[in-house]
Amino acid sequence: EAGVTQSPTHLIKTRGQQATLRCSPISGHTSVYWYQQALGLGLQFLLWYDEGEERNRGNFPPRFSGRQFPNYSSELNVNALELEDSALYLCASSLAGPDTQYFGPGTRLTVL
Amino acid sequence: SQKIEQNSEALNIQEGKTATLTCNYTNYSPAYLQWYRQDPGRGPVFLLLIRENEKEKRKERLKVTFDTTLKQSLFHITASQPADSATYLCALPRGSGGSQGNLIFGKGTKLSVKP
């Protein structure tokens, strides 16, 4: 069984640009979660999608947004990038709701 | 507001000893608690889930306890090995009881096992 996949592995952008990160959940999983992990900090919850709907979002500004597609894959968009957005962005999936989460390898976003 | 605390940022122990990590929470009545392992630059990996009606759970060299009165979980690794060196995270569902929200993660404890 394939695990959660994320692309790209690394992404380098400059301030003010937009970044798009992608996630494919484990087959059969309907929930997708996005987390931000800045260097030396814990996992900060960003967004939770289930069955195509946004179920919850963390304490992040509106320039962090996303969506979930009919095949349950998901996209995270970060607009107007700031230096402090540099972090490891992790995607996780679960069967339904906040059950055991299976994480992808992450996308390392660097904002210059 | 709901809060999770892992007692120490780092824990150094000798190979063969038992590592004990602590997770405390406040303003919660979680239906379960989870523990994950994270290696540098990688996504966390699920280890164990313990439910509110379970006092203890084991998996190979791992043991987790859950005290809902103390609002605390202890995570033990017996006969520790250098390969156990990693950051260990506890996680709780945001909602209480049967109403579940997303998971909230503690900041983690970095375990180093010296040979």
Side-chain angles (χ1 to χ4, degrees):
Chain A
E1 179 184 276
V4 177
T5 59
Q6 291 188 244
S7 63
T9 304
H10 294 91
L11 190 57
I12 299 175
K13 295 283 186 179
T14 56
R15 282 180 60 190
Q17 286 190 312
Q18 180 199 30
T20 298
L21 289 65
R22 296 181 177 83
C23 171
S24 290
I26 290 172
S27 178
H29 286 190
T30 61
S31 276
V32 170
Y33 305 82
W34 287 96
Y35 297 87
Q36 181 196 67
Q37 189 172 38
L39 196 62
L41 297 181
L43 271 73
Q44 301 296 314
F45 167 71
L46 269 165
L47 290 159
W48 168 26
Y49 291 97
D50 184 60
E51 297 284 0
E53 300 282 332
E54 182 182 300
R55 300 297 183 188
N56 204 2
R57 67 178 291 132
N59 190 25
F60 281 84
R63 57 191 186 83
F64 286 85
S65 65
R67 54 181 171 166
Q68 186 177 34
F69 299 99
N71 66 353
Y72 302 115
S73 66
S74 178
E75 196 174 86
L76 174 68
N77 294 294
V78 188
N79 294 319
L81 285 165
E82 300 179 2
L83 296 178
E84 53 265 33
D85 297 333
S86 294
L88 181 67
Y89 288 82
L90 291 160
C91 169
S93 73
S94 69
L95 271 173
D99 205 339
T100 300
Q101 296 189 8
Y102 297 85
F103 284 81
T107 292
R108 173 73 62 185
L109 173 64
T110 302
V111 182
L112 303 174
Chain B
S1 62
Q2 297 163 327
K3 195 175 177 183
I4 303 174
E5 283 185 353
Q6 295 192 241
N7 65 325
S8 57
E9 288 188 10
L11 179 65
N12 299 309
I13 65 167
Q14 206 67 33
E15 182 176 7
K17 300 292 186 183
T18 296
T20 299
L21 286 65
T22 305
C23 177
N24 296 293
Y25 58 93
T26 56
N27 302 320
Y28 260 121
S29 294
Y32 59 82
L33 182 148
Q34 300 183 22
W35 285 89
Y36 289 77
R37 168 183 172 142
Q38 186 176 24
D39 291 286
R42 305 188 71 171
V45 174
F46 169 76
L47 294 174
L48 280 166
L49 181 153
I50 186 166
R51 300 192 182 278
E52 61 181 341
N53 60 348
E54 298 175 314
K55 295 292 185 188
E56 180 180 300
K57 202 152 193 181
R58 293 175 185 260
K59 178 183 175 183
E60 298 172 355
R61 294 184 295 110
L62 308 180
K63 184 179 88 171
V64 172
T65 62
F66 194 11
D67 189 326
T68 55
T69 302
L70 290 178
K71 294 188 183 293
Q72 181 181 82
S73 175
L74 298 179
F75 177 81
H76 306 273
I77 305 175
T78 58
S80 60
Q81 304 166 2
D84 296 325
S85 298
T87 296
Y88 292 86
L89 309 169
C90 69
L92 294 158
R94 183 169 174 269
S96 293
S99 173
Q100 304 303 313
N102 50 278
L103 286 179
I104 302 294
F105 284 81
K107 290 187 178 180
T109 297
K110 185 176 181 180
L111 174 67
S112 295
V113 181
K114 307 293 184 189

